[in-house]
């Protein structure tokens, strides 16, 4: 086969459901619920703080409570789906999610809000892992690439369309719809799951061998690490006892998990499932993808907010029209290409597009407005639609999808903790670089300098209607804001530079990969896969 196959964990066998098309739609909806919820909450948090009367600190902890809990159970869901069946794992949590999403806008006590968000935050941790399992266990193998592409599509699409939705809800329907939309979509997902997935009996043999300790240690450890990362920038990292305790405690639990997997008779998610050249390279490439994709999900909207002073509803048109909608076409192109050429070439096309987008971003100035970002947004759409889809298909092709249950646990690590690490790292980088550039620019704005004096004189003249003393103070404040604005622009140039080199590093890693073994996810193995050959 050219490369060792990955094994470990309970075996899943692709078999059709009664209505596989409905199962695919349920897959898309379940994945969309999580992605939209995460994106809408992050962008709409300032509006939610105002509507709910929360302080900045209360809003920050509410955000952590809404996201970190999902990783408590997300790694174990694939195993639980094999043991209990997709219906039992998906439908109950889906209905609970509907009820809580309806209730949250009516809660006003902060403690109640935290509890509701904690419970609600766990449930998307069910939807995403089950998405992959629906594809691999219930669809005919010739549908696998389409189903996995749908999983990939939701991440790219919702990250860009979510900005427009936040603006629409807040301006026209009310902030409550940031929650209520999830209730509508989740209910539809539950109905389609009932119609599209088969009834399955409980696998009592696997249940008797359950590695509950490993699941608890891994999920709890990753959740603590995520919470520590999420609060790190706000609380000054290791200067905070809370952040230190969260990170150290989480790391200790993960170490205990690794020890547990080494000594138990039936490990639930043995790290040996990762011990493959291609798998390790793809995991590393996923990290570079997450770094370079920040040019789209973070740098462009944050620049337009911080420097251009725009609100989500103003930014949303750019991301919706020039990134989200083109991704609909790009993912279809990715499916077409992945059926005909090696996924590595599709990765190269996607990462090259990201490199071009980031390179264009390094040319940004303080005068840029929405239209200046259109070429970047189009290049990012191409990168988003091609790269992640190809990476997901390639890693599962190398991980032997017939034994993907244990492997899916580690995909959740990449999906949550590694994403949080890259986002937190970029946020820290922008903050540090802004401080550095502010100091460096400030060195050229010295009192007594003739150019500075002339600029202050012009600014003072513009504010003379407020009185001489007030005009002078306003002039100094305006000049300080101009310095800060220029420092912000320079820090974003540094951010785009990091995104550019992230894409280049990804291209180098792809060049080291070997061809995947023939199978239902590779062009040369699709015919064998459709005939039932694994």
């Amino acid at each position: 086969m050219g490369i060792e196959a990955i094994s470990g964990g309970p075996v899943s066998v692709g078999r059709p459901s009664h209505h596989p098309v409905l199962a695919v739609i349920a897959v898309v909806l379940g994945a969309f619920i999580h992605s939209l919820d995460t994106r809408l909450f992050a962008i709409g948090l300032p509006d939610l703080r105002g509507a709910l009367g929360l302080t900045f600190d209360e809003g920050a902890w509410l955000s952590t409570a809404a996201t970190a809990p999902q990783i408590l159970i997300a790694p174990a869901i694939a195993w639980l789906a094999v043991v209990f069946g997709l219906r039992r794992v998906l439908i109950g949590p889906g209905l609970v999610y509907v009820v809580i999403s309806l209730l949250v806008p009516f809660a006003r006590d902060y403690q109640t809000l935290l509890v509701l968000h904690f419970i609600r935050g766990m449930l998307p941790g069910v939807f995403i892992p089950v998405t992959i399992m629906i594809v691999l266990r219930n669809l005919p193998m010739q549908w696998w690439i389409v189903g996995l592409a749908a999983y990939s599509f939701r991440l790219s699409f919702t990250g860009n369309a979510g900005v427009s939705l936040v603006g629409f809800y807040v301006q026209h329907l009310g902030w409550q719809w940031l929650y209520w939309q999830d209730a509508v979509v989740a209910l539809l997902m539950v109905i389609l799951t009932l119609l599209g997935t088969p009834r399955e009996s409980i696998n009592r043999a696997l249940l008797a061998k359950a590695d509950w300790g490993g699941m608890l240690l891994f999920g709890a450890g990753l959740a603590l690490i995520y919470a520590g990362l999420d609060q790190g920038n706000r609380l000054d990292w290791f200067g905070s006892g809370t952040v230190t305790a969260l990170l150290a405690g989480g790391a200790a639990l993960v170490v205990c998990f690794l020890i547990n997997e080494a000594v138990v008779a039936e490990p639930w998610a043995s790290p040996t499932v990762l011990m493959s050249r291609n798998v390790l390279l793809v995991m590393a490439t996923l990290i570079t993808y997450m770094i370079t994709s920040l040019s789209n999900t973070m740098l462009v909207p944050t620049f337009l907010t911080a420097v251009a002073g725009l609100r989500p509803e103003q930014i949303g048109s750019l991301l919706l029209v020039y990134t989200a909608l083109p991704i609909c076409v790009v993912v279809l192109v990715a499916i077409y290409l992945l059926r005909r050429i090696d996924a590595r070439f599709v990765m190269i096309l996607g990462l090259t597009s990201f490199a071009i987008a980031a390179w264009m971003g390094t040319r940004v100035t303080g005068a840029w407005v929405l239209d200046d970002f259109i070429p970047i947004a189009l290049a990012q759409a191409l990168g988003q639609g091609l790269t992640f889809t190809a990476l997901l298909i390639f890693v599962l092709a190398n991980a032997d999808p017939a034994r993907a249950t244990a492997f899916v646990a580690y995909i959740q690590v990449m999906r949550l903790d590694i994403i949080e690490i890259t986002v937190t790292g970029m946020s820290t980088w922008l903050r540090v670089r802004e401080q550095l550039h502010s100091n460096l620019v400030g060195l050229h704005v010295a009192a007594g300098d003739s150019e500075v004096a002339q600029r202050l004189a012009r600014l003072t003249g513009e504010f003379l209607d407020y009185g001489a003393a007030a005009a002078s103070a306003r002039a100094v404040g305006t000049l300080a804001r101009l310095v800060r604005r220029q420092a912000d622009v320079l820090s974003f140039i540094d951010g785009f530079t990091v995104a550019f080199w992230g894409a280049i590093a990804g291209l180098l890693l792809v060049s080291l990969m070997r061809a995947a073994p023939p199978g239902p996810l590779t062009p040369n193995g699709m015919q064998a896969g459709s005939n039932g050959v694994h």
Side-chain angles (χ1 to χ4, degrees):
M1 296 176 68
I3 183 172
E4 64 272 35
I6 306 301
S7 62
V11 178
S12 60
V13 178
R15 61 172 179 265
S17 65
H18 298 299
H19 304 285
V21 173
L22 297 182
V24 171
I25 298 173
V27 163
V28 174
L29 290 177
F32 264 67
I33 288 171
H34 167 265
S35 297
L36 271 177
D37 181 69
T38 302
R39 186 64 166 161
L40 294 186
F41 194 91
I43 299 171
L45 185 58
D47 293 299
L48 289 175
R49 285 204 313 265
L52 298 172
L54 304 178
T55 65
F56 181 84
D57 288 345
E58 288 174 336
W61 281 112
L62 193 68
S63 176
T64 300
T67 310
Q70 67 177 279
I71 205 169
L72 277 170
I73 58 174
I77 289 300
W79 186 91
L80 294 173
V82 171
V83 173
F84 294 101
L86 291 168
R87 287 190 171 202
R88 293 184 183 89
V89 168
L90 187 59
I91 292 174
L95 293 174
V96 174
Y97 190 79
V98 170
V99 173
I100 293 180
S101 296
L102 291 173
L103 292 177
V104 167
F106 297 104
R108 288 296 179 267
D109 176 70
Y110 181 65
Q111 300 303 320
T112 303
L113 281 170
L114 276 179
V115 171
L116 289 176
H117 278 85
F118 185 90
I119 298 172
R120 187 173 180 270
M122 282 195 295
L123 299 175
V126 175
F127 304 151
I128 296 297
V130 167
T131 299
I132 296 178
M133 296 309 299
I134 287 177
V135 172
L136 299 182
R137 299 188 70 242
N138 294 281
L139 296 183
M141 290 184 179
Q142 63 265 29
W143 286 58
W144 281 6
I145 285 183
V146 176
L148 292 170
Y151 172 89
S152 166
F153 167 76
R154 55 90 202 177
L155 178 65
S156 303
F157 182 83
T158 55
N160 293 282
V163 179
S164 292
L165 280 176
V166 168
F168 178 77
Y169 289 153
V170 172
Q171 294 293 320
H172 301 287
L173 297 182
W175 62 269
Q176 295 88 345
W177 280 94
L178 295 176
Y179 297 95
W180 290 345
Q181 65 138 32
D182 291 335
V184 176
V185 179
L187 184 60
L188 182 57
M189 177 199 69
V190 168
I191 295 171
L192 292 174
T193 301
L194 280 169
L195 298 174
T197 58
R199 291 181 176 86
E200 299 175 90
S201 59
I202 297 176
N203 190 329
R204 300 191 183 280
L206 284 174
L207 183 60
K209 302 175 183 178
D211 179 19
W212 299 116
M215 297 180 201
L216 180 61
L217 288 169
F218 197 44
L222 294 177
L224 290 177
I225 291 173
Y226 183 97
L229 293 170
D230 202 37
Q231 294 292 326
N233 264 318
R234 186 178 71 87
L235 299 178
D236 193 27
W237 294 102
F238 294 107
S240 164
T242 300
V243 173
T244 302
L246 288 170
L247 294 177
L253 290 178
V254 171
V255 171
C256 291
F257 157 75
L258 295 174
I259 295 172
N260 176 84
E261 297 303 279
V263 300
V264 297
E266 296 286 342
W268 150 67
S270 172
T272 58
V273 299
L274 302 176
M275 295 300 105
S276 161
R277 172 194 174 96
N278 268 12
V279 168
L280 290 174
L281 286 171
V282 173
M283 289 298 192
T285 307
L286 273 168
I287 295 175
T288 66
Y289 160 76
M290 292 170 188
I291 293 171
T292 192
S293 66
L294 291 175
S295 65
N296 167 233
T297 58
M298 181 180 181
L299 295 180
V300 169
T302 306
F303 178 93
L304 290 171
T305 300
V307 177
L310 302 181
R311 278 188 52 79
E313 60 270 19
Q314 297 170 301
I315 301 170
S317 60
L318 169 75
L319 299 179
L320 177 64
V321 175
Y322 296 102
T323 302
L325 294 181
I327 283 173
C328 300
V329 177
V330 175
V331 170
L332 294 176
V333 173
I335 294 172
Y336 176 85
L337 293 175
L338 288 166
R339 289 184 177 277
R340 289 162 176 80
I341 64 175
D342 194 302
R344 292 173 295 175
F345 296 115
V346 182
M347 292 181 220
I348 289 172
L349 290 174
L351 288 168
T352 301
S353 299
F354 267 128
I356 293 171
W359 176 80
M360 288 191 288
T362 61
R363 270 57 184 167
V364 70
T365 70
W368 276 35
V369 293
L370 279 176
D371 289 348
D372 295 305
F373 285 94
I374 290 176
I376 295 178
L378 291 171
Q380 288 168 338
L382 194 58
Q384 288 273 11
L386 294 178
T387 311
F388 187 66
T389 306
L391 282 168
L392 180 63
I393 298 298
F394 191 73
V395 73
L396 288 174
N398 283 279
D400 186 3
R403 291 183 176 270
T405 308
F407 187 75
V408 171
Y410 291 95
I411 292 180
Q412 306 317 309
V413 181
M414 302 296 294
R415 184 175 66 86
L416 290 172
D417 272 14
I418 303 301
I419 288 178
E420 183 63 21
I421 288 173
T422 58
V423 170
T424 301
M426 181 63 79
S427 298
T428 303
W429 173 252
L430 292 177
R431 175 171 56 82
V432 171
R433 297 301 292 179
E434 187 278 327
Q435 292 171 348
L436 173 65
H437 289 304
S438 183
N439 290 332
L440 293 176
V441 173
L443 293 177
H444 299 280
V445 186
D449 184 89
S450 60
E451 292 185 5
V452 173
Q454 292 173 7
R455 187 62 178 269
L456 283 174
R458 286 198 299 270
L459 290 171
T460 301
E462 295 176 6
F463 296 116
L464 282 177
D465 290 343
Y466 297 93
S472 178
R474 285 174 178 264
V476 172
T478 300
L479 184 61
R481 285 193 296 273
L482 291 173
V483 171
R484 171 67 182 271
R485 188 166 183 264
Q486 184 60 31
D488 281 334
V489 171
L490 293 172
S491 70
F492 279 103
I493 290 174
D494 292 339
F496 279 112
T497 301
V498 170
F500 171 81
W501 286 111
I504 298 301
L507 289 170
L508 292 175
L509 290 169
V510 173
S511 70
L512 300 176
M513 297 176 188
R514 299 170 180 167
L521 295 177
T522 58
N524 58 350
M526 286 183 185
Q527 185 61 44
S530 65
N531 293 330
V533 179
H534 292 258

